[in-house]
């Protein structure tokens, strides 16, 4: 990307894929530059969100980022903690996370999903000042929704394989089916 294209991507917002009363609202950390340039969530090649979503049983086939609106009939949606795009999540400030968490809580209260699934434990810890949070279901609710913290599907997250992530996402799927 040219410097001008890079700045334009950083300034572009990625629209939420949401509806009232979703079964699960997935919440990314913030859009990457590819997502900002395309307007599509988890759009960077190498991001494992779409394969993991399918392997965990949330979707009957692997969707592509361009098919993100097909999540809605399954009762699924996508938003982000922080709207500002960046090349890496570590470019975000703690204040951006906390403000994003406040705005996310308002959004969740308005949309009323049953589950809020935050993909990225560090983002969750910072946005909601839950320093000891771990991957899995949380005791607190946000905006009336139960909360599950999932591993970040970014290709930069080498701690989790696709198979291990699919198992954890599958645990959420089973809980959300109840």
């Amino acid at each position: 990307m040219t410097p001008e294209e890079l700045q334009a991507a950083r300034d572009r917002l990625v629209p939420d894929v949401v509806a009232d009363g979703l079964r699960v609202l997935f919440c990314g950390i913030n859009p990457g530059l590819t997502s900002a340039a395309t307007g599509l969530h988890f759009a960077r090649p190498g991001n494992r969100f779409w394969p993991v979503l399918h392997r965990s049983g949330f979707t009957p086939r692997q969707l592509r980022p361009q098919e993100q609106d097909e999540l809605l009939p399954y009762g699924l949606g996508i938003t982000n903690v922080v709207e500002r795009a960046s090349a890496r999540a570590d470019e975000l400030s703690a204040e951006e996370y906390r403000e994003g968490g406040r705005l996310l809580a308002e959004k969740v209260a308005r949309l009323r999903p049953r589950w809020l699934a935050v993909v990225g434990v560090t983002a969750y810890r910072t946005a909601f000042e839950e320093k000891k949070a771990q991957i899995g279901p949380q005791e607190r609710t946000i905006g009336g929704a139960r909360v599950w913290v999932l591993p970040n599907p970014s290709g930069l997250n080498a701690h989790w394989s696709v198979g291990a992530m699919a198992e954890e996402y599958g645990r959420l799927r089973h809980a959300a089916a109840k």
Side-chain angles (χ1 to χ4, degrees):
M1 285 187 187
T2 68
E4 294 79 20
E5 291 170 327
L6 189 60
Q7 188 57 49
R10 283 192 167 104
D11 293 341
R12 193 172 303 124
L13 298 180
V14 177
D16 290 340
V17 177
V18 296
D20 289 339
L22 294 168
R23 194 165 44 116
V24 178
L25 177 59
F26 291 95
C27 182
I29 298 169
N30 74 310
L33 298 179
T34 302
S35 288
T38 62
L40 303 169
H41 292 275
F42 302 104
R44 183 178 175 86
N47 189 295
R48 301 170 293 177
F49 178 78
W50 299 105
V52 167
L53 202 64
H54 170 60
R55 286 182 62 172
S56 65
F58 272 111
T59 58
R61 66 177 179 82
Q62 185 175 319
L63 300 176
R64 298 184 321 271
Q66 299 85 341
E67 299 172 305
Q68 64 187 15
D69 290 337
E70 292 184 31
L71 291 173
L72 295 174
Y74 300 120
L76 309 174
I78 308 176
T79 189
N80 288 294
V81 175
V82 176
E83 289 186 349
R84 181 175 72 86
S86 66
R88 297 175 52 99
D90 62 8
E91 296 175 19
L92 303 174
S93 70
E95 182 54 39
E96 284 179 288
Y97 278 113
R98 285 190 296 273
E99 177 63 9
R102 186 187 69 74
L103 295 172
L104 178 61
E106 290 175 2
K107 185 182 299 185
V108 170
R110 187 176 67 252
L111 294 171
R112 300 178 329 274
R114 288 198 316 227
W115 285 91
L116 172 65
V118 180
V119 296
V121 69
T122 302
Y124 176 79
R125 288 174 182 159
T126 306
F128 297 103
E129 300 184 89
E130 296 276 345
K131 304 299 182 215
K132 296 184 180 186
Q134 299 294 317
I135 297 293
Q138 307 301 303
E139 291 194 25
R140 76 176 293 178
T141 61
I142 295 176
R146 296 189 64 194
V147 179
W148 198 293
V149 176
L150 293 168
N152 182 349
S154 167
L156 299 174
N157 181 2
H159 300 292
W160 286 79
S161 69
V162 169
M165 278 192 280
E167 284 182 33
E168 187 61 33
Y169 282 55
R171 289 181 57 217
L172 167 60
R173 183 180 61 80
H174 288 294
K178 295 177 184 174

